[in-house]
């Protein structure tokens, strides 16, 4: 029998590491424009990786739970993730005034990794 909770944890871990790797790659690409764009790309991507970590921690926090509890865990985790992402983007673009193109590129690349990662099976 397959343990779907363990498989979900492994998938979430792989996606977070892939998002961090793509964030680093985007930062290296933007390093040609300077430190601030590289920092913006890294911060935008790592923001998504942090949000995915928060979602996974909320969803896979314990042993098997009932269907309604799993649904509410997913719902609350997704809400927390998007609150973190929107607040983080406001901080990166509004407070620290990092270059918007770099931040949005890192952010988008990490989100695309999440979508691509969901297509892979264990």
């Amino acid at each position: 029998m397959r343990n779907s909770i363990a498989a979900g944890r492994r998938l979430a871990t792989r996606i977070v590491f892939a998002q961090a790797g793509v964030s680093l790659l985007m930062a290296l690409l933007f390093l040609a424009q300077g430190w601030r764009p590289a920092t913006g790309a890294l911060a935008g991507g790592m923001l998504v990786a942090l949000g995915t970590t928060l979602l996974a921690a909320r969803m896979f926090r314990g042993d098997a739970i009932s269907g309604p509890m799993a649904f509410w865990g997913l719902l609350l985790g997704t809400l927390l993730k998007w609150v973190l992402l929107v607040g983080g983007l406001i901080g990166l673009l509004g407070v620290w005034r990092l270059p918007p193109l770099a931040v949005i590129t890192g952010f988008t690349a990490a989100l695309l990794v999440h979508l691509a990662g969901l297509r892979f099976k264990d």
Side-chain angles (χ1 to χ4, degrees):
M1 179 184 268
R2 184 177 198 167
N3 185 346
S4 62
I5 294 173
R9 285 183 183 135
R10 284 192 303 271
L11 178 62
T13 302
R14 281 196 306 263
I15 288 175
V16 168
F17 280 120
Q19 287 174 332
V22 166
S23 300
L24 185 59
L25 179 64
M26 290 293 110
L28 290 173
L29 291 174
F30 274 97
L31 191 57
Q33 295 180 2
W35 286 104
R36 285 188 55 79
T39 302
L42 182 64
M46 292 305 285
L47 182 64
V48 175
L50 181 63
T52 302
T53 302
L54 178 65
L55 172 62
R58 182 75 188 141
M59 284 182 59
F60 303 116
R61 66 177 183 230
D63 291 333
I65 55 176
S66 66
M69 290 301 294
F71 171 74
W72 287 109
L74 172 66
L75 196 64
L76 182 60
T78 302
L79 179 67
L80 289 173
K81 176 183 177 177
W82 282 100
V83 166
L84 174 78
L85 294 181
V86 170
L89 281 176
I90 289 170
L92 294 175
L93 297 173
V95 176
W96 290 291
R97 301 209 183 272
L98 291 173
L101 178 64
V103 172
I104 299 300
T105 301
F107 185 86
T108 304
L111 282 177
L112 290 175
V113 166
H114 191 143
L115 289 176
L118 292 177
R119 300 213 16 113
F120 297 109
K121 302 279 183 197
D122 232 4

